[in-house]
Amino acid sequence: MDLLFDIFRVDSGWQAFFTILDMTIVFIVIYRVLLLIKGTRALQMLFGLIFILIFFYISQEDYLNLATTHWLIDMFIANLIIIVVIIFQHDIRRALAQVGRAPILGGARSYEETSVLEEVVKACVMLSSRKLGALIAIEREADLSHFTEEGIKLDAVVTKDVLFTLFLPEHQNPLHDGAVIIQKGRVSAAGCFLPLTINPRVEKTLGTRHRAGIGVTEDTDAAVAIVSEETGTISIAYEGELHRDLDANEMRSLLQKIYRAGTSSAPAGSLFERLKVSLQDRGTPAAPSNDEAEKDEVSS
């Protein structure tokens, strides 16, 4: 107990308790902030701000002695709170909206199961054959809940029939005009509106549906399946890039590659176990018989 008092520089048990409580609260806040921005471009901006703070420290007279640079960064840091609010305004709004709706120590989201991706592939093939437009956003690490607020909440099992029905362009079906969002392996909402890309390099011939698919992937790590209403072609938007004119097998391979990269990036276990899993993944041969069976299922 005396050692604990010396570590925290306190005189009594109550002071040690409140010190530990204070450290725990700070840890939880930092953990939740990192969990909130994980998989979004806000995380890259955060690393940029940390780099600026480090450079501000080493540019002092005692180190690099960069007087002008140090003064310029000092002016920047003086308005840091305003800058952070402007840069992270969407993430701050999402965080405040989630206060009280989720547990403080909620676990990480599980990645989409292969069956969910397969149902998305089959649904896109069905929609493509009939030239029915579709926009399906699949959540990964970044939370897409703020996009579902203006949509219609569903919470349905992901099947090709459900997805196909949601995009039927009937006057009695108001859900077809918008995006379907899949969260935690379930159809979370339909009729959602996604932000359009402002990238000037995007082709002018692309319509609103493709621009919305690209736009949401510029700010999050979601994968978006897009079916063109004019041509019936299938595309996948990911990390601000559009992969166009995909068939069923190409679409399946791309989606599996996207989610396999996420799940294998940090496997559980020791360093030896992670190295073993990585070598096993590289040495596992492809199974053409399964691909042929999946192709037959999609074509049927």
Side-chain angles (χ1 to χ4, degrees):
M1 185 62 68
D2 294 335
L3 178 61
L4 184 63
F5 289 167
D6 293 337
I7 293 176
F8 293 104
R9 297 181 181 179
V10 295
D11 300 326
S12 64
W14 280 111
Q15 291 184 0
F17 170 76
F18 286 114
T19 301
I20 295 175
L21 179 61
D22 186 27
M23 295 173 59
T24 303
I25 293 174
V26 173
F27 170 79
I28 292 175
V29 170
I30 296 176
Y31 171 77
R32 293 298 300 178
V33 169
L34 293 177
L35 190 64
L36 179 68
I37 65 177
K38 183 179 180 181
T40 66
R41 292 202 169 184
L43 185 61
Q44 301 174 6
M45 297 179 185
L46 180 62
F47 286 144
L49 291 176
I50 294 176
F51 174 78
I52 292 175
L53 293 176
I54 294 176
F55 196 73
F56 171 76
Y57 180 76
I58 64 177
S59 64
Q60 298 181 83
E61 183 178 359
D62 297 337
Y63 297 96
L64 299 181
N65 192 21
L66 303 176
T68 305
T69 303
H70 185 76
W71 173 83
L72 184 63
I73 300 178
D74 188 24
M75 294 297 99
F76 174 83
I77 293 179
N79 301 285
L80 185 60
I81 296 179
I82 299 177
I83 295 174
V84 168
V85 171
I86 294 175
I87 294 177
F88 299 104
Q89 55 181 318
H90 298 294
D91 301 277
I92 293 174
R93 184 181 64 180
R94 186 167 71 249
L96 294 177
Q98 290 180 351
V99 173
R101 294 194 307 183
I104 295 179
L105 294 176
R109 301 181 187 86
S110 61
Y111 290 95
E112 305 297 333
E113 298 291 341
T114 304
S115 59
V116 173
L117 301 180
E118 185 64 25
E119 292 298 321
V120 173
V121 172
K122 293 180 179 179
C124 289
V125 171
M126 293 173 60
L127 293 164
S128 174
S129 63
R130 295 165 177 81
K131 290 188 177 181
L132 299 178
L135 184 61
I136 305 173
I138 310 174
E139 183 184 79
R140 296 183 67 236
E141 293 291 341
D143 188 13
L144 302 181
S145 297
H146 54 294
F147 295 120
T148 66
E149 293 176 357
E150 297 181 359
I152 306 299
K153 299 296 180 65
L154 295 178
D155 191 22
V157 178
V158 179
T159 65
K160 64 179 185 299
D161 297 323
V162 170
L163 295 175
F164 179 80
T165 303
L166 290 174
F167 288 106
L168 286 177
E170 301 291 341
H171 296 293
Q172 295 82 4
N173 179 24
L175 300 181
H176 81 279
D177 189 15
V180 167
I181 295 181
I182 297 178
Q183 294 180 292
K184 300 178 181 179
R186 297 181 66 85
V187 179
S188 176
C192 304
F193 295 97
L194 304 181
L196 301 181
T197 179
I198 56 175
N199 187 349
R201 296 186 296 107
V202 174
E203 296 182 16
K204 302 298 183 181
T205 56
L206 295 179
T208 305
R209 183 176 289 111
H210 289 81
R211 291 179 177 273
I214 298 174
V216 72
T217 62
E218 291 176 339
D219 296 325
T220 70
D221 62 345
V224 181
I226 309 167
V227 180
S228 173
E229 186 175 355
E230 290 77 14
T231 62
T233 56
I234 301 174
S235 304
I236 295 293
Y238 179 63
E239 292 186 340
E241 299 293 334
L242 187 65
H243 306 267
R244 306 176 65 178
D245 299 333
L246 304 176
D247 58 24
N249 290 329
E250 292 172 341
M251 180 184 181
R252 181 184 299 108
S253 299
L254 181 57
L255 287 176
Q256 290 178 349
K257 180 181 179 181
I258 291 172
Y259 285 93
R260 189 183 302 117
T263 53
S264 61
S265 59
S270 63
L271 178 61
F272 175 76
E273 292 174 346
R274 285 181 286 176
L275 180 60
K276 182 178 179 181
V277 171
S278 177
L279 293 175
Q280 288 177 350
D281 291 340
R282 293 182 180 181
T284 303
S289 59
N290 292 337
D291 292 340
E292 294 175 357
E294 292 172 349
K295 184 177 180 180
D296 294 337
E297 292 178 1
V298 172
S299 62
S300 61

